[in-house]
Amino acid sequence: MTLKAVLLILDGLGDFQYRKLGVKTPLEAARAKNLNLMAKTGETGFMFSIAPGVIPGSDTAHLSIFGYSPKKYYFGRGLYEALGAGVELKEQDIAFRANLATIENNVLVDRRAGRKSDFLKSLFEELNGISVEDVTIIAKHSSEHRGVVVLRGPGLSDKISDVDPHKVGVPISYCHPLDDSEEAKKTARIINHLMHSANEILERSKNNALRKDHGLLPANALLLRGAAKYHTAEPIYEKTKAKFSCVAGGALYKGVAKFVGMDVVDVPGATGDKFTNLRAKLEAAIKAKENSDVVFLHIKATDSFGHDGDYVGKKQFIEKVDREIISGLMKNFDVIVVTGDHSTPCKRKEHSGDAVPLLIWGENCRADKGTFSETNPSPTLFIRGEDLINIILNKIELLKKYGE
Ligand code: ZN
Ligand code: ZN
């Protein structure tokens, strides 16, 4: 019998202490008996997913945790979002992460159209297939306010600026070429034209009329960022001789997993938000185990609570994960690794460069005297993300000796 491992990433898990939580972090304040039990009998420590002090994006952090240095394998967020949304990319395509947003008198008032996804799928469909010059636009909704836009046509470049200004109260930025090439100039021109056409189509859409009837902000502007060309990487199976599956809700995580050649499982009800169906994800992970050595299980909501500054919500969500997922994993996997891809402290409402807590439990583990927390008094592991896969493969006895 071969040993099976699950790598559970609670996105943005790491945090700071809050007085209202009894000077504890959300993870420390959570009543999480299963996680505590694993910490008592497992190995604990800290991980910097990229390097000490580096503030990771979720995309670069996951690449690093899967053993693919982001310095070499990060090509812009659009690539991973498009792969995760199930767009079949071609050689010359340029892919973008897309938000539908709200503008009023040309000023951006909400970058996520109120974070309400009603009718967004249909609105993305209205943009799908339009053309600008000799370029066709592929537009696809993924989850919540998120989606993907791909430009398909000759002579395009990823060397262009983002139009997403990343803040409200200002107009959407013009797209500029970032080098002198004809390709970059053409791509910037097409994006500026597309911004205008998308706004017109969205403004007169009946789906936006329906949003207004429901008291929602209109999703009347397209925000693009993270331009990326199509790239491939050596599959993780070739590198490790181990089989990996991915169970995730968000397109970005499925996309990074697909990029490194994991088998990506579709889970109905895995929405990538706080209403995600955790039990469905647990069942999918147990099923995925049949055909893989390591199952990567991603849960996003911890990060969203961090971005919203909601430390009580974050604590309660960790309790829910402990109740609905952890004991099921303990019954079904030989080795369990729980960690985050980075910290998203509620106090900062953004990612930070602080280490994330790490817990490894099961076969071939020593019981250290540490805790699974940001203030672990007795950690035995201090690692970078790039070492994690080797550590897991060692535990499930799939590593070969290095030397004689
Ligand atoms: Zn993340
Ligand atoms: Zn985040």
Side-chain angles (χ1 to χ4, degrees), residues 291-361:
N291 297 314
S292 46
D293 303 299
V294 182
V295 178
F296 157 57
L297 173 56
H298 180 265
I299 293 176
K300 170 74 177 164
T302 27
D303 179 59
S304 306
F305 284 113
H307 285 287
D308 292 344
D310 181 0
Y311 49 80
V312 174
K314 193 168 177 179
K315 163 191 163 294
Q316 288 169 343
F317 188 79
I318 293 167
E319 291 172 346
K320 185 172 155 154
V321 168
D322 187 76
R323 263 194 325 269
E324 296 187 9
I325 288 223
I326 302 294
S327 67
L329 295 179
M330 291 171 81
K331 286 186 199 113
N332 285 282
F333 286 88
D334 306 298
V335 171
I336 300 175
V337 177
V338 191
T339 187
D341 55 340
H342 49 75
S343 295
T344 310
C346 295
K347 157 159 120 185
R348 289 180 64 169
K349 298 186 179 178
E350 242 315 333
H351 302 182
S352 77
D354 301 283
V356 286
L358 172 67
L359 167 61
I360 306 182
W361 173 89

Side-chain angles (χ1 to χ4, degrees), residues 161-384:
S161 64
D162 283 353
V163 297
D164 183 347
H166 290 276
K167 58 181 177 192
V168 294
V170 295
I172 293 180
S173 318
Y174 272 101
C175 181
H176 301 287
L178 295 178
D179 64 23
D180 287 336
S181 67
E182 287 308 314
E183 287 83 1
K185 284 181 204 158
K186 173 181 175 180
T187 311
R189 187 174 73 234
I190 284 175
I191 292 294
N192 289 326
H193 192 129
L194 171 63
M195 292 300 107
H196 187 74
S197 312
N199 176 238
E200 278 183 358
I201 292 170
L202 296 168
E203 276 291 1
R204 57 168 192 260
S205 165
K206 66 173 191 325
N207 290 301
N208 260 328
L210 288 167
R211 277 179 68 91
K212 284 182 200 158
D213 290 347
H214 285 73
L216 303 173
L217 289 172
N220 56 3
L222 183 63
L223 282 188
L224 301 180
R225 66 182 202 259
K229 273 191 178 155
Y230 179 54
H231 284 88
T232 55
E234 184 194 6
I236 197 163
Y237 179 78
E238 301 299 321
K239 278 174 52 146
T240 63
K241 299 298 171 221
K243 286 194 243 165
F244 287 76
S245 303
C246 158
V247 175
L252 177 65
Y253 313 95
K254 291 196 263 190
V256 177
K258 204 175 267 185
F259 176 74
V260 305
M262 290 188 189
D263 186 16
V264 178
V265 178
D266 263 322
V267 189
T271 50
D273 62 18
K274 60 189 169 197
F275 307 110
T276 192
N277 186 339
L278 291 179
R279 290 184 201 280
K281 274 182 156 170
L282 171 65
E283 275 165 34
I286 294 169
K287 190 148 182 288
K289 182 184 77 161
E290 288 164 23
N291 297 314
S292 46
D293 303 299
V294 182
V295 178
F296 157 57
L297 173 56
H298 180 265
I299 293 176
K300 170 74 177 164
T302 27
D303 179 59
S304 306
F305 284 113
H307 285 287
D308 292 344
D310 181 0
Y311 49 80
V312 174
K314 193 168 177 179
K315 163 191 163 294
Q316 288 169 343
F317 188 79
I318 293 167
E319 291 172 346
K320 185 172 155 154
V321 168
D322 187 76
R323 263 194 325 269
E324 296 187 9
I325 288 223
I326 302 294
S327 67
L329 295 179
M330 291 171 81
K331 286 186 199 113
N332 285 282
F333 286 88
D334 306 298
V335 171
I336 300 175
V337 177
V338 191
T339 187
D341 55 340
H342 49 75
S343 295
T344 310
C346 295
K347 157 159 120 185
R348 289 180 64 169
K349 298 186 179 178
E350 242 315 333
H351 302 182
S352 77
D354 301 283
V356 286
L358 172 67
L359 167 61
I360 306 182
W361 173 89
E363 285 294 323
N364 297 319
C365 284
R366 307 161 179 150
D368 61 28
K369 295 194 164 51
T371 58
F372 181 47
S373 89
E374 292 87 337
T375 57
N376 183 353
S378 179
T380 48
L381 298 158
F382 289 93
I383 69 162
R384 291 191 187 207

Side-chain angles (χ1 to χ4, degrees), residues 20 69 108-109 113 145 148 189 206 209 260 348 369 401:
K20 284 197 176 138
S69 166
L108 187 60
V109 294
H145 54 278
V148 172
R189 187 174 73 234
K206 66 173 191 325
V260 305
R348 289 180 64 169
K369 295 194 164 51
K401 185 159 57 174

